[in-house]
Amino acid sequence: MINTSVYSRYWRQELSPKVIWLEPEHFESAKEISDRNLSEAHQWTIYLNALALLGFEEWLRERIPDVKINRDNCSIFQSDSAHVIDVVCHLRLGGFNLCLISVDNLINDFVTVPKEVINSPDKTAHFYVLLEVLEEEEQLKIHGFLRYDKLVKYCQSINLEAKSDSYYQLPLSWFDPEINNLLLYSCFLSPTAIPLPSVAEVNHTDIQSLSQTISIVNKALVNVSSWWLGVFEEGWQSTKDILKTLDSNYAWGSARSKSLDSTYGAKKLDFGLLLNGQALALVINVKRLEDNEVDVLVQVIPYNEESGNEEYLPPALKLKVTLNPNTSESESQEVTARKADNIIQLEFSEILGRQFQVEVSFQGAVITEIFLL
């Protein structure tokens, strides 16, 4: 897997952004726009967004004077409402809808974007343009742009990092740094080549798949009983095949009765960019007891294919186990990784034939597996 942090730093060093000089009239107009807002808390954000819009708009007019630019419905001019969005939506470039993502200091390998401009059909854009506003230097830098269809494709192949309930973190490496490509698209590409979801189609478009990337659910039951026969479902392996340090990493908490037989299954969990490529292993340890009772120990550990393990789990990683899911008898327990934890686990007893559900979550991304004993 590509180390996105390293790639993004290389991307920023090797491909210089387009620099636009901001003029005194840009600052005056931006101040007028921000002063219209009723909330002082949002004025700075609106001021930066206004500088980004005014500078970028003038640059577009100089480069492609024959393409119509329309800002009448831009979100920035609706800023006197109770809800203020952190980006500039609804800038029209010919037949295309643009969303301007402006920052005042681009120091990370990702950019924070409100979820609604990606998930809400009334705010999605054909192109998302990344701009850096350097007010003191009187400069605007165009760092690149991202097509909506490519954004959806990227998000379907990897977990999209969620900073909070309201924001996503998009890697800089997803943005095309060749801004001239945006100019070519606006002149020669039809908007229908990058279809956007409509409000009426919200449940039948790729935007549904986009939101599903945050919650990955394996709907097929994992039959634990078959593990005793050496039969594992796709993605699952015997722990001796996937883990090199089983004896040192796995220990039962408190066995409540004498074991008749035991088996182990493990599966690699990949949260992608959310953990910078670090993988985890979900391990299910099962012991048959007397009277058709089963002891189950569910564990999550860091895992590296080369060394067999990593030192620590990411803090705040959660493990949740639900017995008899989707029934009136459902009950759950969970545990959260602390700093320097190299394992989290939950133990319970159940009878053969019952189901249980395991959820491993981190910063809004959830991986779910359902098991049959």
Side-chain angles (χ1 to χ4, degrees):
M1 177 178 289
I2 294 175
N3 186 321
T4 304
S5 296
V6 173
Y7 181 81
S8 296
R9 287 194 293 271
Y10 171 83
W11 176 86
R12 292 216 303 266
Q13 292 169 358
E14 296 297 319
L15 297 170
S16 299
K18 178 65 181 176
V19 177
I20 302 169
W21 289 98
L22 297 172
E23 303 296 337
E25 54 266 27
H26 294 144
F27 292 96
E28 293 175 7
S29 297
K31 187 177 185 305
E32 290 178 2
I33 295 172
S34 63
D35 286 346
R36 298 173 193 168
N37 188 263
L38 299 179
S39 171
E40 293 184 3
H42 297 299
Q43 286 185 345
W44 177 250
T45 298
I46 296 169
Y47 177 69
L48 291 179
N49 282 338
L51 285 176
L53 171 63
L54 295 168
F56 182 66
E57 184 182 35
E58 182 169 318
W59 180 81
L60 287 174
R61 287 200 174 97
E62 292 175 355
R63 296 302 184 278
I64 46 176
D66 295 332
V67 179
K68 183 178 180 181
I69 301 173
N70 188 328
R71 62 176 182 173
D72 292 346
N73 295 319
C74 275
S75 57
I76 195 170
F77 300 113
Q78 313 301 322
S79 56
D80 56 349
S81 62
H83 175 67
V84 176
I85 196 166
D86 291 340
V87 298
V88 180
C89 292
H90 305 309
L91 174 64
R92 299 291 295 181
L93 180 61
F96 293 98
N97 194 17
L98 273 60
C99 174
L100 306 185
I101 305 166
S102 61
V103 297
D104 59 353
N105 192 8
L106 192 60
I107 59 175
N108 296 314
D109 296 318
F110 54 83
V111 61
T112 300
V113 180
K115 285 185 176 181
E116 57 190 310
V117 303
I118 298 176
N119 292 345
S120 299
D122 61 332
K123 291 185 175 65
T124 53
H126 295 95
F127 301 109
Y128 297 83
V129 184
L130 178 56
L131 304 168
E132 182 179 14
V133 181
L134 303 175
E135 188 206 20
E136 293 186 1
E137 292 85 351
E138 300 181 353
Q139 290 181 352
L140 175 66
K141 292 185 177 181
I142 310 176
H143 283 273
F145 72 100
L146 177 59
R147 290 172 48 148
Y148 173 80
D149 53 348
K150 290 189 176 181
L151 171 60
V152 171
K153 183 178 179 181
Y154 291 148
C155 295
Q156 288 174 339
S157 64
I158 199 165
N159 285 301
L160 185 59
E161 188 168 347
K163 182 180 180 181
S164 68
D165 292 338
S166 303
Y167 293 90
Y168 288 137
Q169 290 182 332
L170 306 184
L172 297 189
S173 58
W174 287 8
F175 289 81
D176 183 352
E178 183 49 77
I179 194 63
N180 286 332
N181 288 337
L182 176 61
L183 303 181
L184 292 173
Y185 289 147
S186 64
C187 294
F188 303 109
L189 189 68
S190 169
T192 57
I194 308 176
L196 298 180
S198 66
V199 176
E201 297 170 343
V202 65
N203 293 324
H204 306 285
T205 62
D206 286 339
I207 206 68
Q208 184 182 25
S209 299
L210 178 61
S211 62
Q212 288 175 345
T213 62
I214 305 302
S215 179
I216 303 173
V217 182
N218 181 6
K219 296 182 180 180
L221 283 176
V222 179
N223 190 345
V224 176
S225 297
S226 65
W227 292 0
W228 274 284
L229 304 175
V231 178
F232 293 85
E233 285 82 356
E234 181 179 359
W236 286 88
Q237 303 178 52
S238 167
T239 50
K240 66 181 180 182
D241 296 329
I242 194 173
L243 301 170
K244 300 177 181 178
T245 54
L246 178 62
D247 293 339
S248 61
N249 278 336
Y250 302 95
W252 284 83
S254 56
R256 288 175 288 278
S257 52
K258 185 176 179 180
S259 170
L260 300 176
D261 196 6
S262 63
T263 187
Y264 308 82
K267 182 176 184 178
K268 178 181 175 182
L269 305 178
D270 189 354
F271 281 84
L273 293 178
L274 202 55
L275 296 180
N276 290 322
Q278 178 189 356
L280 309 173
L282 172 63
V283 182
I284 308 296
N285 309 304
V286 185
K287 286 185 178 182
R288 275 182 178 169
L289 309 175
E290 298 174 349
D291 299 325
N292 287 327
E293 192 175 9
V294 181
D295 260 359
V296 182
L297 180 64
V298 181
Q299 301 172 310
V300 178
I301 68 165
Y303 172 68
N304 182 283
E305 290 180 328
E306 296 181 358
S307 64
N309 67 306
E310 295 273 1
E311 187 175 0
Y312 299 120
L313 291 168
L317 180 81
K318 289 186 180 181
L319 169 65
K320 179 180 179 180
V321 174
T322 302
L323 305 182
N324 306 307
N326 303 316
T327 70
S328 58
E329 301 177 358
S330 175
E331 57 179 307
S332 301
Q333 55 181 326
E334 65 179 52
V335 63
T336 302
R338 300 161 299 182
K339 186 177 181 180
D341 275 346
N342 58 12
I343 187 172
I344 52 176
Q345 61 185 28
L346 291 170
E347 183 180 0
F348 62 92
S349 293
E350 190 56 276
I351 62 174
L352 288 173
R354 292 294 183 92
Q355 295 182 16
F356 67 94
Q357 176 177 288
V358 174
E359 297 173 71
V360 183
S361 59
F362 185 70
Q363 293 188 2
V366 184
I367 297 176
T368 304
E369 296 276 348
I370 305 176
F371 300 86
L372 173 65
L373 292 172

